[in-house]
Amino acid sequence: MELTERFLNYVKFDTQSSEDSQSVPSTPKQMIFAQYLKEELEREGFDDVEMDDMGYIYATLPSNMKKEVPTIGFISHYDTSPDCSGKDVKPRIVNNYDGGDIELSEGIVSSPVKFPELLLHKGEDLIVTNGTTLLGADDKAGIAEIVQAMCYLRDHKEIPHGDIRMGFNPDEEIGMGAHHFDVEKFGCQWGYTIDGGDLGELEFENFNAASAKIYIKGVSVHPGYAKGKMVNASRLAAEFATMLPGDETPEETEGYEGFYHCIGMESCTEKAKLSYIIRDHDRDRFEDRKRFVQRCVDQMNEKYGEGTVKAEIKDQYYNMKEKIDPQMHVIDIVLKAMQACDVPPRVKPIRGGTDGAQLSFRGLPCPNIFAGGVNFHGPFEFVSVQVMEKAMQTIVKICELTAGYND
């Protein structure tokens, strides 16, 4: 099975995760794909193929060397974002893209005027959606590239490599993907998530991340007789939202700049809930941001009475840089692999997070490498066939270079 065909098979499955679920995985439909992927790995003849009852899949391509070399792993997630439907994805290939507008369906156009990234792929074969769903390159492209790379190594025994582990998991898009990943069972000295964006992306810095849920307790009274009695939770929610700096939001920041992002609001007179995510690359500023949210809560309670507003602030993951810096050989190998594959490296911080961030703090250094997708989480998502092939080649070369690594 070729790489493109493998990817197109994967995106047939609806694997959207859900932030509102307490189960693992968060949606039953993820397990349908997980079972398919497990059976595919078995058909391809890999060793130690197993899937636990939460949908975490592990497999091994055994070493073809006589000497002992580091065991490394490649990891991707199979859930897709809750932000956009992943049901009935209808991909098509735009061969030899000419640099113009792409009509996804009637009235829905992907244009380089709005998405200039398209122009970087002129002359390539682009896999696009029909404009009504996301594509799922985040991160089914990564899975396809890993599996195809392992098949290539399996069939080209002249390429030396040690034990290579594969790991595929649910629920990365809701920040839970690494929570139940069995690092001890995975058994690697280091790993790589294949979950980045366009050609050459290499990321080992990411946001420190927290969630904040703000609960507001109101008092509902008939509005005709409400003076001195009513506490309108909806109005207080709007007031709280204005207390956070308007120029520190995702739409106003870039690079290393952090933000507060309101991802949801539910309200009526009696009660309200605001859901935020808090992000910053710098750990001290990250802690300051959490304290600032709590101060806003305290000020609201001073104004409207103790217990009116409550905050639940939970850390989600931290910047992996502090764990990668002491082991920069993990990065050096990738840079050499990219050079050998004629891939120009684009080292940059992630304005988000990956499973690799959490895994790095659990003892598995795990930077993030490009998988090729662009415009994630929406109907204008696309991936270049040629970039997917470069990602697959880079994985193969990393395995080969690791076989020659001397600590």
Side-chain angles (χ1 to χ4, degrees), residues 52-168:
D52 65 22
D53 59 1
M54 294 179 288
Y56 287 72
I57 303 168
Y58 309 94
T60 305
L61 176 69
S63 174
N64 62 5
M65 301 182 67
K66 293 182 179 179
K67 69 173 185 176
E68 187 173 332
V69 299
T71 298
I72 63 171
F74 296 92
I75 301 164
S76 290
H77 66 92
Y78 53 75
D79 67 312
T80 60
S81 171
D83 294 344
C84 183
S85 173
K87 180 177 172 57
D88 297 326
V89 174
K90 293 180 172 60
R92 69 182 175 93
I93 301 177
V94 179
N95 292 302
N96 192 22
Y97 171 59
D98 64 6
D101 289 354
I102 301 173
E103 186 173 359
L104 303 179
S105 58
E106 186 174 356
I108 304 176
V109 175
S110 183
S111 170
V113 174
K114 186 171 184 179
F115 303 109
E117 302 88 352
L118 283 164
L119 296 176
L120 299 174
H121 301 282
K122 189 174 179 179
E124 299 175 8
D125 304 316
L126 306 186
I127 305 175
V128 300
T129 76
N130 71 348
T132 64
T133 69
L134 50 66
L135 178 62
D138 180 15
D139 190 25
K140 289 168 185 165
I143 299 174
E145 291 151 7
I146 293 170
V147 175
Q148 197 68 33
M150 297 305 107
C151 289
Y152 187 89
L153 287 169
R154 177 200 63 198
D155 297 338
H156 290 78
K157 295 181 172 53
E158 73 278 7
I159 301 174
H161 62 83
D163 286 337
I164 310 297
R165 292 281 278 159
M166 291 170 271
F168 306 116

Side-chain angles (χ1 to χ4, degrees), residues 326-379:
Q327 304 193 58
M328 283 301 289
H329 63 276
V330 174
I331 302 300
D332 294 338
I333 288 172
V334 180
L335 293 173
K336 290 177 182 177
M338 287 184 177
Q339 182 180 25
C341 296
D342 196 26
V343 173
R346 296 168 58 209
V347 180
K348 64 174 192 174
I350 311 171
R351 284 186 61 80
T354 73
D355 287 333
Q358 296 182 47
L359 294 171
S360 293
F361 279 87
R362 293 177 56 200
L364 179 67
C366 203
N368 192 40
I369 300 174
F370 72 100
V374 182
N375 295 337
F376 291 155
H377 298 189

Side-chain angles (χ1 to χ4, degrees), residues 63 77 83 89 105 123 146 170 184 231 268 290 322 373 400-401:
S63 174
H77 66 92
D83 294 344
V89 174
S105 58
I146 293 170
E184 184 177 354
V231 178
C268 61
K290 292 188 293 179
E322 64 182 84
E400 181 180 359
L401 290 173

Side-chain angles (χ1 to χ4, degrees), residues 283-299:
R283 186 64 174 268
D284 290 338
R285 288 198 299 267
F286 172 65
E287 298 297 335
D288 286 343
R289 288 185 183 279
K290 292 188 293 179
R291 285 191 287 265
F292 179 73
V293 169
Q294 186 59 57
R295 284 200 301 273
C296 290
V297 169
D298 294 342
Q299 289 173 28

Side-chain angles (χ1 to χ4, degrees), residues 3 8 25 79 180 189 240 265 306 339 372:
L3 176 59
L8 293 176
D79 67 312
H180 302 283
Q189 275 85 347
F240 181 89
M265 183 184 296
E306 192 63 36
Q339 182 180 25

